[in-house]
């Protein structure tokens, strides 16, 4: 087979795989929309880490006499300069005082399963974009190969 066909097949297959995985992650997010909100009480909050600073917030919530205690970093990103990560973590900890309340979302079928935020993961959008780029590149290679073959046959 000609090289352009192999390239096109590889890129389109890669695009389909990446987009399939992205859709699975998006479907997983969709299930979280049915989860129920409840109030969580902050037990403690502090900045942890030596190089990759992050907030560590310990909290608990109770649903149907079942008490759950967990920790969260409130999905603070772990990238950026060291001082920036520290400032972001410090600001998050400062905004969450002990005995304050925030909302968590729990799975009604399994009360101990919960999330502090419900939104599509950022990686889903990156995967959709990458998959689209792979598909466009595969289509481009296909069209170039077809036109080159047509020229050779003329």
């Amino acid at each position: 087979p000609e090289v352009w066909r192999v390239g096109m097949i590889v890129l389109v297959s890669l695009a389909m795989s990446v987009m399939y995985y992205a859709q699975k992650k998006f479907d997983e997010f969709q299930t979280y929309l049915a989860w129920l909100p409840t109030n969580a009480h902050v037990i403690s909050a502090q900045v942890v880490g030596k190089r990759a600073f992050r907030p560590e917030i310990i909290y608990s919530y109770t649903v149907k006499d079942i008490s759950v205690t967990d920790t969260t970093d409130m999905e603070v990103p772990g990238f950026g300069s060291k001082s920036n990560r520290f400032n972001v973590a410090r600001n998050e900890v400062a905004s969450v005082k002990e005995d304050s309340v925030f909302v968590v979302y729990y799975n009604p079928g399994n009360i101990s399963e919960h999330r502090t935020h419900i939104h599509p993961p950022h990686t889903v959008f990156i995967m959709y974009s990458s998959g689209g780029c792979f598909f466009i590149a595969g289509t481009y290679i296909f069209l170039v190969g077809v036109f080159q073959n047509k020229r050779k046959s003329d």
Side-chain angles (χ1 to χ4, degrees):
E2 296 181 39
V3 175
W4 64 270
R5 287 184 188 184
V6 173
M8 185 251 336
I9 290 169
V10 167
L11 285 171
V12 170
S13 297
L14 187 60
M16 290 171 52
S17 299
V18 168
M19 291 178 115
Y20 175 79
Y21 184 73
Q23 187 61 45
K24 296 288 277 179
K25 286 294 184 187
F26 191 76
D27 291 345
E28 183 181 297
F29 153 73
Q30 293 285 76
T31 63
Y32 299 143
L33 296 177
W35 289 15
L36 303 174
T38 191
N39 288 332
H41 299 275
V42 175
I43 297 168
S44 69
Q46 63 183 348
V47 175
V48 296
K50 295 188 185 303
R51 295 177 61 181
F53 298 106
R54 62 183 179 79
E56 181 182 72
I57 298 161
I58 301 172
Y59 61 94
S60 70
Y61 66 93
T62 304
V63 174
K64 297 179 184 175
D65 295 329
I66 297 173
S67 184
V68 178
T69 302
D70 203 356
T71 62
T72 182
D73 63 3
M74 294 303 232
E75 298 188 10
V76 169
F79 53 84
S81 68
K82 183 177 178 180
S83 62
N84 183 53
R85 287 191 308 262
F86 179 76
N87 290 336
V88 170
R90 185 187 61 205
N91 291 341
E92 186 65 39
V93 166
S95 72
V96 182
K97 307 272 188 258
E98 285 186 28
D99 297 324
S100 65
V101 175
F102 65 95
V103 174
V104 296
Y105 301 87
Y106 69 92
N107 180 351
N110 180 3
I111 292 171
S112 65
E113 188 179 6
H114 62 281
R115 297 183 64 88
T116 56
H117 297 85
I118 295 184
H119 55 76
H122 296 72
T123 54
V124 167
F125 302 112
I126 294 168
M127 286 186 283
Y128 277 133
S129 300
S130 300
C133 289
F134 291 140
F135 184 78
I136 289 168
T139 304
Y140 176 78
I141 289 171
F142 172 74
L143 293 173
V144 166
V146 166
F147 288 123
Q148 284 181 350
N149 275 354
K150 188 174 182 178
R151 256 193 234 152
K152 287 179 186 176
S153 64
D154 288 343

